[in-house]
Amino acid sequence: DGSPWATVAIEKWSDLVSPWLGRWGTRPETRHLLYKGLRQDEVAPMLIQAALGWLEVFPKEFEASFVFAPLLGRQDLDTEAAAKGIELALAWMTEFPDTIEASFVLRPLLGRQNLDTEAAAKAVEFALAWLTKFPDEVEAEFVLHPLLGRKDLDTEAAAKAIACALAWLTEFPDTIEADFVLPPLLGRQDLDTEEAAKAIEFALAWLTKFPDIIEAEFVLYQLLGHQDLDATAAAKAIELALAWLTKFSDTIEAQFVLPLLLGRQDLDTEAAAKAIELALAWLTKFSDT
C-alpha cells in the first residue's frame, strides 16, 4: 500500500505474493490484498483470476463488496472475466440490495459498458431501488453518476433516475460532491424543459459557490454545451467559464472548456475577445500536445 514495501512486494511477486496466494488465496482475509492490488495497474492483471476465485468461494459474503468494487472498476478484464464478475456481482446485489455498501458495488457495475441487455436492466433496477431507499444519503452520488451516464435507460428508468438526481441536488446543492451528479445530469438528452431548467439552475449555483476548483471543468463542459440556456443563464455561464479559464489558463484541463465556450454563438464582443485571448495563450503553451 505504499513505498517502500509495495515496490519490494511487486519485485518479489513470484517469491512472496504468489506462494501466499497459493496457500491462503481462499481465506476471507485475502480480500484485503485483493482490494489493494486490484487498484494498482502494475499488479492487477496478476490478481484478476485470484479475485474471481475468491468471489466464487465467498459470493454472498457481505465483505465481498471490497473485492467487487475494484474488480468491476477495471477496464482491462477480458470478456470471460468481465462476464463472471458481473454475474457474481448481480448475485451479491440480490443478497444485499438494501445496504449502504451496495453503492460501492453499483458504481463500477453501472459504469461497465459491456453489460448485456439483461444484466444492464437488472443493474439499473437495483440502482433505482437503492436510490429509492437511500434518497437522502450523500453516498447516492456514487450511484447517480454512472446511472445517469448510461445511454440504455428506457423512458421510465430515465425519468426515475432524473427525478432522483434532482431530489438529491435539492438536498445537497452546496456540497462539493454535487460535481459527480451535475455533469451526467446536464449531459442527458432526455431532460424535459422543466428538468433542464432546474439542472441548469443547480449548476450555476454550484459554480458560483465553487468557482475556484479545477473539477468545475466537468460542470462547465456540460453547461456550456446546452443550447437552451436563456439569456440570463447563458451570460452567467459564460462569465463563470471565463473566470475559471483565467485561473486555470495554464492547465491541460482547460482544453475541455475552451471549445464549448468558443463554440457558443451568444458571446458578446468583450467575452469573445477574452475567450479568443485565452485560447491563443493556451495553444501557445500546449502547441506540442
Side-chain angles (χ1 to χ4, degrees), residues 139-158:
E139 290 85 356
E141 64 177 296
F142 297 119
V143 179
L144 285 166
H145 178 84
L147 179 63
L148 291 166
R150 294 199 66 86
K151 305 301 184 188
D152 55 358
L153 300 184
D154 63 30
T155 304
E156 183 179 356

Side-chain angles (χ1 to χ4, degrees), residues 62 103 110 116 120 184 198 210 272:
F62 181 68
S103 64
L110 290 164
D116 62 30
K198 196 66 180 170
F210 298 103

Side-chain angles (χ1 to χ4, degrees), residues 159-239:
K160 287 181 180 178
I162 291 165
C164 286
L166 290 171
W168 186 91
L169 285 165
T170 301
E171 187 76 16
F172 301 102
D174 298 330
T175 62
I176 193 72
E177 289 84 0
D179 73 331
F180 279 95
V181 179
L182 284 166
L185 177 62
L186 289 164
R188 292 204 63 85
Q189 302 301 305
D190 48 5
L191 299 178
D192 64 27
T193 304
E194 185 179 349
E195 290 165 344
K198 196 66 180 170
I200 290 164
E201 179 186 338
F202 278 128
L204 289 170
W206 187 88
L207 287 165
T208 301
K209 184 175 178 63
F210 298 103
D212 297 329
I213 63 170
I214 198 162
E215 292 82 2
E217 65 174 294
F218 302 111
V219 180
L220 285 167
Y221 176 85
Q222 295 293 350
L223 182 61
L224 292 168
H226 267 263
Q227 300 305 313
D228 55 352
L229 301 181
D230 62 31
T232 302
K236 189 62 178 175
I238 291 165
E239 176 191 340

Side-chain angles (χ1 to χ4, degrees), residues 87-108:
E87 175 192 344
L88 291 167
L90 289 171
W92 185 91
M93 283 297 310
T94 302
E95 291 291 313
F96 303 102
D98 298 331
T99 61
I100 282 286
E101 289 76 7
S103 64
F104 301 116
V105 177
L106 284 168
R107 180 184 186 180

